[in-house]
Amino acid sequence: MLELIPITDSIGTEVRGIDVTADISDSDFERIYQAWLDSTILLLRGQNMTPAQHVEFTRRFGEIYTYTRSNFSHKELPEILILSNQKEKGKPVGSAYSGRVWHSDGHFLTEPPVGSMLYAREVPPVGGDTWYGNMYAAYDALPEGVKERIADLKVIISRVQSRPYNYPDRPAPTPEERAEWVDVSHPVVHVHEETGRKALMVGGNVPWRIEGMSEEEGLPLITFLQEFAVQPQFTYCHKWQPGDIVLWDNRCAMHRATYYDHFTHSRVMHRTTIAGRRSAAAAV
Ligand code: SIN
């Protein structure tokens, strides 16, 4: 029987009593979907999905966003991105250095994806955790004066600027990448398309600029917001077990991965990314 159990007071729901490879009734799925919208992340433990079942389960939540130019896509199913330190014939099978600063996926896109589903296949005994933060809760807790100050502000997200923070192991962007990766701006206060709730979406750790503000004026504000957003009362650290699935709502949650001993231990995670809301056909 389906059970929905809060993970902490502020973030997450653990979904129990469901095998994601079996038929999930429309009414159960609707409750799961609503819990996702309400609590920003879902956790399902002890699952055993093939890559094809992973893709199929993700489709229940919406259309899949495929990273068509990634070197780290699953060979048969490009909808799956592999995050791993493993090598095959000396070549990395996945992205080894995944998201270690607070971020929401694809923030550098004009239309960032709505969510991501991460499935643990192999995990190290220590580290390699993923932190999640509820950005509705962070926004709600801001002092009223700050809410007024940031109400109409936009943060400028530069993929070029973020590269050394997100991927210190990769070379600096090439001239071609610099030309292609144009900056985008997003509201600092994101109004969620489905719930209508406000979320603080400043992205973490990179000293982003605020549209229309000098660096001198913008930096203290962005730093305050970034630090405010990830206080312990809004966050949860997930310690992975093989078979865990976490689905996060990229419109109101941030996340970051932690270090582990990648010389000694293996971490293999499969991630799908949800591009948009459920299509009419998939909607329940
Ligand atoms: C991600 O940033 O999408 C993945 C986080 C992780 O590897 O734990």
Side-chain angles (χ1 to χ4, degrees):
M1 204 181 72
L2 172 65
E3 279 184 282
L4 298 169
I5 298 159
I7 297 177
T8 77
D9 286 348
S10 70
I11 181 166
T13 302
E14 182 173 347
V15 180
R16 292 199 191 149
I18 287 289
D19 171 357
V20 302
T21 67
D23 274 346
I24 302 173
S25 70
D26 287 351
S27 60
D28 276 354
F29 186 76
E30 194 54 30
R31 288 177 60 205
I32 294 170
Y33 192 88
Q34 192 58 47
W36 181 51
L37 291 183
D38 291 343
S39 68
T40 76
I41 70 165
L42 295 181
L43 163 66
L44 297 101
R45 289 208 189 260
Q47 302 294 322
N48 187 6
M49 311 188 276
T50 62
Q53 286 166 330
H54 184 170
V55 168
E56 201 181 322
F57 183 51
T58 309
R59 285 220 171 94
R60 208 87 199 245
F61 291 85
E63 205 183 306
I64 294 189
Y65 180 95
T66 303
Y67 288 85
T68 46
R69 285 193 285 169
S70 171
N71 296 326
F72 304 124
S73 301
H74 188 279
K75 284 193 199 78
E76 282 92 44
L77 287 164
E79 294 92 336
I80 292 182
L81 197 62
I82 302 180
L83 309 175
S84 180
N85 60 330
Q86 289 301 286
K87 291 190 175 164
E88 261 174 29
K89 295 184 188 145
K91 283 183 71 180
V93 299
S95 174
Y97 196 96
S98 62
R100 297 211 177 140
V101 297
W102 282 102
H103 66 285
S104 55
D105 291 327
H107 207 193
F108 51 82
L109 299 168
T110 322
E111 282 188 52
V114 307
S116 302
M117 185 186 288
L118 195 59
Y119 176 49
R121 300 182 78 87
E122 277 181 62
V123 297
V126 180
D129 309 325
T130 311
W131 281 88
Y132 293 97
N134 180 341
M135 295 302 110
Y136 289 141
Y139 174 79
D140 290 346
L142 281 170
E144 286 308 313
V146 177
K147 286 184 184 166
E148 277 164 32
R149 180 150 188 239
I150 63 174
D152 299 317
L153 296 183
K154 288 189 166 181
V155 57
I156 300 170
I157 303 293
S158 158
R159 195 170 175 183
V160 172
Q161 187 193 7
S162 73
R163 167 56 82 85
Y165 294 87
N166 291 338
Y167 299 107
D169 58 336
R170 295 188 193 170
T174 61
E176 292 74 30
E177 284 170 333
R178 283 175 182 277
E180 191 186 337
W181 294 351
V182 289
D183 292 355
V184 297
S185 64
H186 292 299
V188 168
V189 181
H190 178 81
V191 180
H192 193 288
E193 298 77 7
E194 291 185 72
T195 65
R197 292 177 65 191
K198 291 180 178 170
L200 181 62
M201 295 304 287
V202 282
N205 308 61
V206 181
W208 303 118
R209 284 168 296 127
I210 294 185
E211 209 169 76
M213 276 190 195
S214 66
E215 205 173 305
E216 198 182 17
E217 193 188 1
L219 195 56
L221 178 60
I222 206 82
T223 308
F224 164 78
L225 295 172
Q226 288 174 335
E227 288 180 0
F228 189 92
V230 295
Q231 292 177 84
Q233 64 270 35
F234 314 131
T235 59
Y236 160 68
C237 177
H238 186 62
K239 296 192 177 300
W240 294 94
Q241 295 168 10
D244 285 356
I245 298 172
V246 174
L247 170 68
W248 60 91
D249 187 336
N250 206 34
R251 300 161 289 186
C252 54
M254 290 206 296
H255 60 282
R256 76 174 181 90
T258 70
Y259 286 86
Y260 62 99
D261 177 358
H262 62 274
F263 296 109
T264 316
H265 298 294
S266 168
R267 186 176 193 259
V268 183
M269 312 292 282
H270 281 189
R271 198 186 87 191
T272 46
T273 310
I274 304 166
R277 202 182 182 286
R278 290 172 296 172
S279 66
V284 291

